[in-house]
Amino acid sequence: MSGAFWTILYFILFLLWLGGIWLYFIIRHSNRAPLSEKKNGLHLVTVLGSGGHTTEMLDLIKHFDDNAYATRTYVIANTDNHSEQKAMESENARNGGTFAVEKIPRSREVGQSYVSSLLTTAVACCTAFKIVATIRPSIVLVNGPGTCVPVVAAAAALDMLRWADTRIVYVESICRVENLSLTAKILYYSGIADDIIVQWPQLKDLYPRVRTLDEL
């Protein structure tokens, strides 16, 4: 048999293997019990984007109990000084727990070509994978910036490989009234997110598996 035959066969087997671990991931997450608080608190990883994404996320996190979420890690783009400053200000106002700020390269800068962004996205994914593999967080909380995609992908991959046991929660922006954002759609249709939370009830008519704030 030719080498092309074996290459195609190995490729098909690889796709079947990927499909198998993805299906197992979906089934395992669909049957999960509610997350219970650990003795030393949960480790929360959240991704901060620039501008409105950062403001919305920090406004949400300030209501989280310091003891329940005793360890907090903020992931930001390495050029996003604004979000780093806001995270520091938010933590200075808290009463307990520990925190860290981790930086990853941007997947794509404004105006960057899509071809060159393939390389920068790969670098961002590798950096995110290293961070998540080291932390192995209890929860990854995101709300839509492009920086969140490598982090979510790393968390899902490590969970599929059973290296981590992580819940992925996506909170949709309040400005999304009639439709989900592209990131939310990817997480919704792929089944990667354990929860997608929306702030407008009419979105549940279009996307039945999302949850509204009233259901939490």
Side-chain angles (χ1 to χ4, degrees):
M1 295 184 183
S2 66
F5 171 82
W6 290 110
T7 300
I8 294 172
L9 179 61
Y10 290 145
F11 182 69
I12 292 173
L13 291 175
F14 177 70
L15 292 179
L16 290 174
W17 176 75
L18 284 181
I21 63 172
W22 174 79
L23 182 60
Y24 177 63
F25 171 86
I26 298 299
I27 294 173
R28 185 162 55 87
H29 279 241
S30 66
N31 296 323
R32 276 185 164 185
L35 191 65
S36 59
E37 182 180 337
K38 297 180 181 179
K39 183 177 180 181
N40 57 348
L42 301 172
H43 193 149
L44 170 69
V45 166
T46 184
V47 180
L48 302 181
S50 56
H53 286 301
T54 291
T55 300
E56 287 185 357
M57 184 58 76
L58 292 177
D59 282 344
L60 175 63
I61 292 177
K62 71 181 181 182
H63 299 290
F64 287 17
D65 184 81
D66 290 335
N67 295 319
Y69 300 90
T71 308
R72 299 172 292 275
T73 299
Y74 300 90
V75 180
I76 64 174
N78 55 7
T79 56
D80 188 2
N81 296 324
H82 170 79
S83 293
E84 181 176 15
Q85 179 183 348
K86 290 299 181 182
M88 298 293 290
E89 291 174 358
S90 176
E91 283 294 330
N92 289 335
R94 301 188 76 98
N95 297 316
T98 60
F99 78 98
V101 176
E102 298 285 353
K103 298 182 180 182
I104 66 174
R106 286 191 185 274
S107 298
R108 182 174 181 267
E109 296 286 356
V110 176
Q112 182 180 354
S113 70
Y114 287 104
V115 174
S116 64
S117 67
L118 293 176
L119 177 60
T120 54
T121 298
V123 173
C125 287
C126 290
T127 306
F129 193 90
K130 180 180 179 181
I131 292 171
V132 177
T134 301
I135 294 173
R136 288 193 275 183
S138 309
I139 302 174
V140 171
L141 180 67
V142 296
N143 71 338
T147 309
C148 83
V149 176
V151 177
V152 168
L158 288 165
D159 196 298
M160 289 179 189
L161 296 173
R162 303 307 303 272
W163 180 258
D165 186 18
T166 303
R167 307 293 175 91
I168 298 171
V169 179
Y170 183 94
V171 181
E172 186 60 285
S173 172
I174 194 171
C175 68
R176 287 289 175 172
V177 179
E178 299 180 352
N179 210 343
L180 293 179
S181 63
L182 177 59
T183 303
K185 288 179 181 178
I186 293 172
L187 297 182
Y188 180 85
Y189 289 115
S190 67
I192 288 177
D194 291 273
D195 270 311
I196 296 178
I197 300 168
V198 298
Q199 304 189 49
W200 297 96
Q202 59 265 32
L203 286 173
K204 195 169 179 64
D205 296 332
L206 295 174
Y207 308 95
R209 290 188 287 107
V210 303
R211 293 208 292 170
T212 63
L213 293 174
D214 295 337
E215 296 177 288
L216 299 179

